[in-house]
Amino acid sequence: MDTTNLLEINDLAVSVEGKEILQGINLTIKSGETNVIFGPNGSGKTTLMMAIMGFPRYRVNRGRIFFNGKDITSASVDERARLGIGIAFQRPPVVKGVKTAEMVQACLKARNRSEDVEQLAKKADMTRFLSRDINVGFSGGETKRSELLQLLAQNPQLVLLDEPESGVDLENIALIGSLINELLQKGCPIHQRSRGGLIISHTGHILDYVNAAKGYVLYDGKIISCGSSPLDILDNIKKKGYQECASCPIK
Amino acid sequence: MPDKINSERYQKAKAASEKKAAVGSDIDLSRFESEIVSNPVNIDTKVLTDDDRKRMLSAGMILDDKEQRSGTFIQKDNTPIHHSADQDGIEVMATSEALKKYDWLEEYLWTAVDVDADKYTAHVELSSADGYFIRALPGQKSIHPIQACLYLSKSRLIQDVHNIIIAEEGSELHIITGCAVAKGREPGLHLGVTEFFIKKGAKVTFSMIHSWNPEVDVRPRTGAIIEEEGLFMSNYVVMHPVHSLQSYPVARCVGKGATARFNSILVATPESNIDTGSKVFLDAVGAKTEVISRAITTGGNIIARGYIEGSQPEVKGHLECSGLILSENNGGMIHAIPELKGARAGVDLSHEAAVGKIAEEEVEYLMARGLTHEEATAAIVRGFLNVDITGLPPELDAELKKAIDESQGELF
């Protein structure tokens, strides 16, 4: 295990309801680095993210997950959140009666922060949603902004983003991109950045806004390709399809 | 008295003295003691014992800072012991005194609730029950809530209560009532008849917090008659143990555009049996109603009823019964029975009912933000009980939310 890695995943196998979805996953993210995962529907992208976050439905059968050098394979979801892993869900559940402001406050409290809720909401253009029940009747863009607002409050060291651009209109995508960049400390020189990110992207549109250091292709539960130029990988996928990426050289 | 005994009403009550209620478990009245009703008194609340005060406070009463109330009424067992009205145009007194003061009041009695509905209403009539009379004169609006407390202190006693609330034309009344029992687990029976008369353009909000004990049986009988453009809103909170509670208040919207709203928050702890609901008759054009209930069991049984009947065009009604079962192995049951009856084209009636456990997906979502499993569950339960009550003065809204929050803390 390399202790300079923010996240290190070794030989991970994960099953959902008895069915093995991921096999032999190896992945590392260094501080200041953002990685992107590409892959077709059903390839296991979300499963990987949920397993990193520690949701009990995603059962680790083999392998280890290290965060900041600490083995978190058996840590609960809330422990991981408090340690500094944050996730933006693709389709978060609606929770009637629980207000957006309460969620933001809970995020702040869990990480011992005392930021102003209103100010944070302003950044994500979510002020008018603070008194609304979380995710109830939110549009695609509103859901994403709400997820990113909660992450801003959590201020996680490792940011997991599941398809942050899906269902977002053009007007919103620039704002989403800038919020992600704030979370990933784009304003800081690379050597000073302490955060890392893992982004699932279907279309690659988010790469217009976010600089990613590495890209992975997940296919049928395995990483079949990995490279230091996510845009080239995306290009290859567009030209040849996902499966053919297995023949792309792993750099 | 002979007049009373010969009256048709008394005879009807007598004939119904063995009549079981339409729903709910039957109570053998001979297990309890009746009390001869004595004349009301009016003591200073300062002379109440510490224990009595404590129990009254738990039911939402404010005894030290009367500035926050426009009036106060307290009945201990079967005797009204305190009444005060601190605002012009608002009347608060014992029903027996109001009947002496106003000849016309007799005409109102037993018109919103049937005297022979069951043996409990009959018992209230036959025992010449006292209770509170609260009235707002035409156009008068209560600045602060009026508080009423019905307090049961003696073991095995039947507390009979007959309350009358009248909001005259264009007036506004906000009432908070707390029902409580003395400390301990003594058995008792509360029979409370409450009749509301909401005149043209008047508004009444009635917020009730029940704090009984696991040995007490409770049979409230409530009726409301709402005239043109009148509004009746009932908020009912029962979160403490009770042996059995059965009530089915009835609101009749008899005037054009009359509105009735019922919000109920029910928690059944182990061995509690709650059978409650609301019945609304939309008998005038444009009448509206909303009946919302949130029920939680931690081991007790809840039957959450709802009935809306629309018999005129352009009436609108919605029923919502949501139930959460928090008891894993403790038993506990929630039975939602929503009913709608449309008797005319042009009625718009709907209902939704859902009973289940907390969605694990929601708990995990909150946990992903750093809340522990217990904190996440508590936040979701708080949210579930957080019924948006519109039309309540902010101070009362805050008081109700506080009461719910405090009681909720005891659930985990």
Side-chain angles (χ1 to χ4, degrees):
Chain A
M1 186 196 61
D2 181 345
T3 51
T4 63
N5 289 332
L6 183 61
L7 181 75
E8 185 175 326
I9 295 175
N10 295 334
D11 191 29
L12 194 73
V14 177
S15 62
V16 178
E17 286 160 12
K19 191 181 172 211
E20 192 154 86
I21 308 289
L22 297 177
Q23 296 128 30
I25 302 290
N26 290 296
L27 182 150
T28 55
I29 300 174
K30 291 191 183 303
S31 292
E33 198 180 88
T34 297
N35 294 359
V36 183
I37 303 177
F38 303 108
N41 287 335
S43 59
K45 303 186 298 294
T46 298
T47 298
L48 175 58
M49 209 160 257
M50 298 309 234
I52 296 172
M53 196 66 226
F55 289 101
R57 197 167 156 255
Y58 300 82
R59 200 189 149 109
V60 173
N61 298 327
R62 199 177 59 244
R64 292 264 159 258
I65 304 171
F66 296 92
F67 177 64
N68 270 331
K70 182 182 155 86
D71 186 346
I72 58 161
T73 318
S74 324
S76 63
V77 178
D78 54 316
E79 265 179 275
R80 296 183 204 208
R82 287 194 297 271
L83 282 172
I85 305 178
I87 186 168
F89 291 80
Q90 191 189 354
R91 283 185 217 93
V94 302
V95 190
K96 278 191 185 168
V98 176
K99 308 290 176 198
T100 306
E102 283 177 64
M103 291 296 288
V104 177
Q105 269 150 2
C107 292
L108 289 168
K109 195 179 154 219
R111 299 271 291 147
N112 294 319
R113 286 158 50 80
S114 54
E115 229 93 337
D116 183 70
V117 174
E118 288 273 337
Q119 286 300 320
L120 287 172
K122 221 171 171 181
K123 278 189 192 170
D125 191 19
M126 286 298 289
T127 315
R128 63 192 185 283
F129 293 87
L130 285 176
S131 57
R132 278 179 51 178
D133 291 358
I134 190 82
N135 303 326
V136 175
F138 287 15
S139 71
E142 288 156 4
T143 301
K144 301 293 173 194
R145 283 179 0 239
S146 152
E147 289 295 295
L148 291 171
L149 165 62
Q150 293 172 66
L151 286 185
L152 283 178
Q154 274 183 287
N155 197 25
Q157 222 186 331
L158 176 65
V159 181
L160 307 173
L161 305 169
D162 193 353
E163 301 211 18
E165 77 270 52
S166 74
V168 179
D169 54 34
L170 281 174
E171 227 173 288
N172 271 306
I173 191 125
L175 173 59
I176 299 245
S178 79
L179 291 171
I180 293 173
N181 282 324
E182 180 173 343
L183 282 167
L184 296 170
Q185 299 172 305
K186 198 187 178 185
C188 288
I190 290 180
H191 64 278
Q192 285 178 15
R193 289 180 203 163
S194 57
R195 313 274 178 75
L198 185 63
I199 302 177
I200 291 176
S201 181
H202 221 59
T203 61
H205 286 155
I206 202 68
L207 294 177
D208 293 343
Y209 301 89
V210 178
N211 286 328
K214 247 192 287 181
Y216 297 86
V217 177
L218 196 60
Y219 192 85
D220 204 14
K222 298 185 190 79
I223 289 174
I224 58 166
S225 174
C226 162
S228 58
S229 173
L231 286 169
D232 286 350
I233 294 177
L234 190 64
D235 216 33
N236 267 325
I237 294 168
K238 278 180 187 159
K239 281 182 196 149
K240 302 179 189 167
Y242 289 107
Q243 204 167 359
E244 289 302 310
C245 270
S247 59
C248 304
I250 292 186
K251 292 177 192 171
Chain B
M1 202 63 176
D3 278 359
K4 181 170 173 155
I5 291 169
N6 292 328
S7 76
E8 192 191 332
R9 203 169 67 208
Y10 191 88
Q11 292 305 323
K12 271 169 95 175
K14 209 152 184 217
S17 58
E18 301 289 324
K19 186 179 170 186
K20 289 182 181 174
V23 294
S25 58
D26 186 50
I27 294 172
D28 176 4
L29 297 179
S30 66
R31 278 175 45 221
F32 299 91
E33 285 162 27
S34 293
E35 193 179 47
I36 294 167
V37 176
S38 50
N39 287 331
V41 290
N42 198 9
I43 61 164
D44 192 319
T45 53
K46 287 194 180 80
V47 304
L48 291 166
T49 66
D50 283 351
D51 196 40
D52 286 356
R53 289 173 74 85
K54 222 173 175 176
R55 299 296 297 165
M56 288 177 192
L57 290 174
S58 81
M61 297 291 282
I62 295 178
L63 300 171
D64 298 322
D65 185 7
K66 299 286 250 344
E67 296 271 290
Q68 294 179 50
R69 299 295 191 218
S70 284
T72 298
F73 175 91
I74 301 171
Q75 176 161 329
K76 188 172 178 179
D77 300 324
N78 286 297
T79 309
I81 58 166
H82 175 83
H83 64 87
S84 55
D86 303 310
Q87 189 189 326
D88 288 344
I90 304 290
E91 300 178 335
V92 179
M93 63 188 93
T95 304
S96 58
E97 287 174 330
L99 282 165
K100 277 183 213 149
K101 187 171 177 182
Y102 298 120
D103 292 342
W104 48 261
L105 186 58
E106 193 68 35
E107 300 294 315
Y108 283 76
L109 292 185
W110 298 110
T111 53
V113 174
D114 290 332
V115 68
D116 57 353
D118 51 39
K119 62 186 184 185
Y120 312 115
T121 53
H123 196 276
V124 169
E125 169 64 13
L126 298 174
S127 68
S128 304
D130 216 328
Y132 54 79
F133 169 82
I134 300 174
R135 178 178 177 227
L137 299 182
Q140 298 292 328
K141 298 184 176 180
S142 66
I143 299 166
H144 300 292
I146 293 137
Q147 61 183 0
C149 181
L150 303 168
Y151 181 64
L152 184 53
S153 76
K154 288 183 198 152
S155 180
R156 302 208 165 268
L157 185 72
I158 301 181
Q159 181 180 45
D160 290 285
V161 182
H162 195 162
N163 307 316
I164 309 285
I165 291 147
I166 303 173
E168 301 286 359
E169 279 193 17
S171 68
E172 205 170 300
L173 274 175
H174 300 285
I175 302 166
I176 180 160
T177 88
C179 290
V181 282
K183 215 175 153 191
R185 287 178 65 114
E186 298 299 328
L189 174 62
H190 169 87
L191 304 177
V193 171
T194 307
E195 299 186 89
F196 292 89
F197 302 92
I198 293 132
K199 306 286 179 70
K200 189 178 173 185
K203 174 179 175 179
V204 172
T205 74
F206 186 72
S207 303
M208 179 149 58
I209 301 172
H210 270 180
S211 181
W212 304 104
N213 81 28
E215 302 299 328
V216 170
D217 295 289
V218 186
R219 296 292 182 272
R221 297 292 181 255
T222 303
I225 295 171
I226 309 145
E227 296 182 4
E228 192 178 333
E229 298 300 332
L231 168 72
F232 173 60
M233 180 162 80
S234 157
N235 303 305
Y236 183 45
V237 179
V238 50
M239 297 183 76
H240 291 282
V242 58
H243 182 252
S244 83
L245 159 67
Q246 186 272 314
S247 73
Y248 207 173
V250 180
R252 288 178 193 278
C253 294
V254 299
K256 202 176 161 189
T259 303
R261 275 198 221 128
F262 286 93
N263 300 303
S264 306
I265 291 171
L266 315 165
V267 175
T269 51
E271 293 170 52
S272 290
N273 290 288
I274 297 173
D275 179 339
T276 183
S278 310
K279 205 179 259 189
V280 181
F281 293 90
L282 302 170
D283 291 342
V285 177
K288 294 182 286 293
T289 188
E290 216 176 47
V291 177
I292 312 280
S293 75
R294 297 275 187 273
I296 288 182
T297 172
T298 59
N301 299 319
I302 297 179
I303 298 174
R305 299 175 193 272
Y307 180 91
I308 302 177
E309 185 174 323
S311 57
Q312 292 295 323
E314 294 166 50
V315 300
K316 202 171 159 63
H318 181 66
L319 255 178
E320 202 181 297
C321 300
S322 303
L324 259 191
I325 299 170
L326 291 186
S327 46
E328 286 291 336
N329 307 310
N330 264 349
M333 176 276 292
I334 296 175
H335 184 175
I337 312 177
E339 286 183 76
L340 303 175
K341 182 174 171 186
R344 177 110 185 211
V347 301
D348 178 0
L349 306 178
S350 59
H351 80 71
E352 53 183 294
V355 176
K357 62 173 190 171
I358 294 180
E360 206 49 36
E361 185 197 22
E362 294 178 23
V363 175
E364 287 173 3
Y365 181 57
L366 270 67
M367 287 174 74
R369 304 305 181 214
L371 276 76
T372 62
H373 196 279
E374 290 71 32
E375 288 168 343
T377 307
I380 292 166
V381 170
R382 198 182 317 117
F384 175 80
L385 295 177
N386 185 10
V387 179
D388 280 323
I389 299 171
T390 46
L392 211 56
E395 54 182 324
L396 210 44
D397 192 32
E399 272 181 49
L400 270 191
K401 287 209 162 82
K402 193 171 155 241
I404 294 165
D405 260 8
E406 283 172 359
S407 306
Q408 192 220 339
E410 296 164 17
L411 293 179
F412 296 100

